[in-house]
Amino acid sequence: MNIANWLNDAGRRWPERPALFEGQRQVADYATFAAHVRSRAAQLIGEHGIAPGDRVALFMKNSCEYLELLYCIWWIGAVAVPINCKLHPVEAGWIANDAQARLIFTEGGKVFPPEMLPQGCCELNEADSVVCASFDATTLEDPCSRDADDLAWLFYTSGTTGRSKGVMLSHGNLTAMSLCYPLDVDPVSPDDAVVYAAPMSHGAGLYNFIHVRCGARHVVPESRGFKADELFELASGLGDLMLFAAPTMVKRMVEQARRQGYGGDGIKTIVYGGAPMYLKDLQEAVETFGARLVQIYGQGESPMTISALSRELIADRNRPDWASLAASVGRAHSCMEIRILDPEHRPLPPGQSGEIAVRGPTVMQGYWRNDAATRQTLVDGWLLTGDIGFLDHAGYLTLTDRSKDVIISGGCNVYPREVEEVLSQHPEVFEVCVVGEPDVQWGEMVVAFVVPRTAGSLDESLLNAWFVERMASFKKPKKYVFCTELPKNSYGKILKTELRLWLKEVANGTAVP
Ligand code: AMP
């Protein structure tokens, strides 16, 4: 089934129901939403020759148009490639090329054909399009027929090797993910208003489907991003607000709510996940917002859907086992199985830590044009998540570590290797290694250990200037530690564990080598 059928259906069943909002202003009901998509889909085919299976990339900030474009792409059976709008255009260009996108939509409704995006180029500000093909408008009344395993969304995650990987999500994956939501996370009513405060290219955008299916409202804040006070105003004005937020966003909401004496009126649910939530922060969030929080654990390879921790449990501070359960990521979603594996991929009993493996209908079809990575990650029908954790006897899963070295800073994933790649290209950098340091504000911050070629030839401002020319600024190290050598094992591999100890010494004022 084509997931765009849900919009087609909603437009017919509830034509007058409010659908799209810019801030508190309604800009479309469901009939209009579906009609826009239908006519724009015809345009995509007529003007750009987009056919089923073609990839179409979006590199833009959140907007109602974003949602319409996504549905246009699915309506004609094409594949959406939403690119994080915080990425550098060079990175976006790389993704569009890797996905072999026929078109890329950018800010201001500009459309670019793929020829404009040669490898590594960022010509996103010039030229226009494109190809013409004949089309039959009658075929567009309903969405193009799709099978469950046909691709719908190429979800680009950063790879530990420094190269992004395109996670292939099918219509079936997205349907299963959406159907689990009301069962395991939060029931949905037509009065709900899902607000897109985090990028639609990721988790927040993935929650659109179930809200379309239920004829609920979709709200893009006027700021087109995350501002806690704006969210509270939207909640008071619109009511029944639901949002997905990274733990650092929840923390900022708590701080703002306390400043203005706001207790969560108008907010129905805050779903948090994507990074660890520290217990102290969760306690404060529950004190401030009451029983409005639900946690999910997922990853691009099984989007938003591995396990969930219920609102009731999170709010029940009187439970004697609250602290240990609230520190977990909850129990498996209805359609998922979770196993803990030892290094030989044998299942481990409850209580023992190992790699988390999952199986179910939300698990990706594989990585786009990367069979080697697919074979390493999908083994005997199980997805190896790269996360380390354990299950208890009641099925609660606790994450203990990340086997991949990803740094989660401000809710965004930063892969040390790609930061190292950029810094090591600087002519004055001899060696570099990047690790995460726990940080109250950001969750973790990016720290670069740098060995200069010549003592004193580098400083923070030189490296920052080098970095912002080449990569998104949220990945920029917040701290540099200059040293004469890096600790290595007998194979010559840099010892990150040792570097983390050095960081403590730097904090204590002890000099590093
Ligand atoms: P991404 O594929 O960008 O969504 O990142 C997924 C990774 O984020 C997971 O593999 C985990 O390491 C981490 N993660 C996701 N949800 C949670 C959570 N609720 N608690 C802790 N870490 C999480």
Side-chain angles (χ1 to χ4, degrees):
M1 185 207 69
N2 187 332
I3 197 132
N5 286 358
W6 286 358
L7 175 63
N8 200 20
D9 196 44
R12 288 180 181 146
R13 276 165 89 184
W14 311 298
E16 285 165 15
R17 255 193 209 167
L20 304 179
F21 288 74
E22 286 172 356
Q24 298 193 33
R25 191 171 62 90
Q26 181 181 328
V27 294
D29 55 24
Y30 267 95
T32 315
F33 183 8
H36 277 176
V37 167
R38 206 174 278 120
S39 67
R40 235 174 145 173
Q43 215 183 339
L44 262 190
I45 299 175
E47 291 180 14
H48 305 293
I50 299 300
D54 282 350
R55 273 78 54 209
V56 178
L58 302 178
F59 181 46
M60 44 201 278
K61 282 177 153 183
N62 289 358
S63 63
C64 291
E65 192 191 8
Y66 199 117
L67 208 51
E68 288 188 352
L69 285 170
L70 283 174
Y71 275 91
C72 267
I73 295 167
W74 295 318
W75 201 279
I76 59 185
V79 181
V81 188
I83 303 175
N84 184 350
C85 63
K86 290 187 193 166
L87 289 182
H88 193 283
V90 171
E91 297 169 281
W94 186 90
I95 289 174
N97 274 291
D98 185 68
Q100 299 170 315
R102 299 265 331 258
L103 285 178
I104 176 163
F105 283 93
T106 65
E107 280 300 303
K110 282 192 174 171
V111 179
F112 297 91
E115 311 85 83
M116 297 308 302
L117 291 167
Q119 182 90 28
C121 171
C122 58
E123 289 182 45
L124 293 180
N125 294 318
E126 288 173 23
D128 48 283
S129 43
V130 257
V131 207
C132 267
S134 60
F135 72 99
D136 174 4
T138 56
T139 59
L140 290 170
E141 188 53 32
D142 296 320
C144 164
S145 171
R146 295 276 82 190
D147 286 339
D149 54 6
D150 281 332
L151 288 194
W153 185 313
L154 266 189
F155 180 103
Y156 270 83
T157 91
S158 294
T160 41
T161 58
R163 269 193 56 183
S164 282
K165 287 192 292 248
V167 172
M168 297 193 288
L169 300 176
S170 66
H171 288 268
N173 291 147
L174 298 176
T175 306
M177 171 196 78
S178 304
L179 297 181
C180 272
Y181 181 87
L183 270 177
D184 301 307
V185 183
D186 195 29
V188 181
S189 120
D191 296 326
D192 290 355
V194 50
V195 59
Y196 301 102
M200 286 167 122
S201 55
H202 284 64
L206 286 160
Y207 276 162
N208 91 78
F209 301 106
I210 188 62
H211 292 90
V212 166
R213 180 66 190 144
C214 297
R217 297 169 293 168
H218 303 259
V219 183
V220 177
E222 274 174 17
S223 68
R224 302 174 70 189
F226 171 73
K227 280 172 77 184
D229 52 347
E230 185 184 25
L231 282 176
F232 302 158
E233 260 178 52
L234 283 174
S236 309
L238 294 170
D240 290 324
L241 217 67
M242 173 276 149
L243 75 149
F244 174 71
T248 45
M249 288 164 69
V250 177
K251 200 171 156 64
R252 279 163 61 190
M253 286 171 72
V254 168
E255 281 163 10
Q256 180 62 29
R258 289 187 166 181
R259 266 198 295 277
Q260 63 184 72
Y262 169 77
D265 255 11
I267 295 183
K268 181 190 172 204
T269 308
I270 303 169
V271 179
Y272 67 90
M277 169 76 100
Y278 300 110
L279 216 50
K280 179 168 167 288
D281 294 338
L282 184 59
Q283 278 170 0
E284 288 178 2
V286 173
E287 277 160 21
T288 308
F289 296 127
R292 290 186 169 85
L293 293 128
V294 184
Q295 184 187 196
I296 62 101
Y297 160 54
Q299 57 175 203
E301 290 81 348
S302 180
M304 311 304 269
T305 317
I306 294 177
S307 67
L309 189 65
S310 73
R311 160 197 311 267
E312 292 73 25
L313 194 149
I314 292 173
D316 189 1
R317 296 279 314 279
N318 296 325
R319 277 180 79 124
D321 53 359
W322 186 83
S324 67
L325 292 183
S328 80
V329 292
R331 298 163 49 83
H333 276 82
S334 301
C335 66
M336 300 306 285
E337 286 174 83
I338 300 178
R339 271 185 183 173
I340 306 296
L341 303 180
D342 73 7
E344 277 76 49
H345 294 167
R346 288 172 307 212
L348 289 166
Q352 287 194 32
S353 264
E355 179 161 11
I356 298 166
V358 303
R359 185 164 71 167
T362 59
V363 170
M364 64 165 179
Q365 312 296 298
Y367 293 112
W368 174 253
R369 299 200 305 144
N370 195 341
D371 290 341
T374 302
R375 275 194 303 275
Q376 274 174 14
T377 310
L378 296 179
V379 178
D380 299 331
W382 290 80
L383 164 70
L384 305 181
T385 62
D387 290 319
I388 305 294
F390 62 89
L391 284 164
D392 73 6
H393 284 279
Y396 285 89
L397 177 68
T398 300
L399 263 54
T400 47
D401 205 350
R402 282 162 290 173
S403 65
K404 299 169 186 169
D405 276 325
V406 61
I407 299 169
I408 304 182
S409 185
C412 296
N413 284 6
V414 181
Y415 286 86
R417 175 68 189 268
E418 57 177 351
V419 178
E420 290 161 8
E421 297 269 18
V422 166
L423 292 177
S424 63
Q425 284 164 20
H426 190 287
E428 277 307 312
V429 171
F430 177 61
E431 256 183 337
V432 61
C433 185
V434 168
V435 295
E437 179 174 24
D439 180 74
V440 182
Q441 191 188 352
W442 297 98
E444 278 182 297
M445 65 176 178
V446 179
V447 180
F449 285 82
V450 179
V451 180
R453 280 188 193 281
T454 328
S457 62
L458 283 172
D459 62 24
E460 194 172 311
S461 61
L462 278 173
L463 287 176
N464 278 343
W466 175 266
F467 197 88
V468 294
E469 288 285 307
R470 289 163 180 83
M471 199 163 256
S473 59
F474 73 86
K475 300 179 185 176
K476 184 162 60 81
K478 295 216 164 33
K479 191 195 270 186
Y480 293 89
V481 182
F482 294 98
C483 41
T484 53
E485 60 178 315
L486 296 174
K488 302 197 183 91
N489 68 13
S490 54
Y491 300 105
K493 285 178 77 159
I494 297 170
L495 292 165
K496 291 201 172 193
T497 41
E498 190 77 9
L499 287 176
R500 293 191 183 102
L501 292 176
W502 283 15
L503 274 179
K504 290 191 183 145
E505 290 176 17
V506 172
N508 294 336
T510 318
V512 298

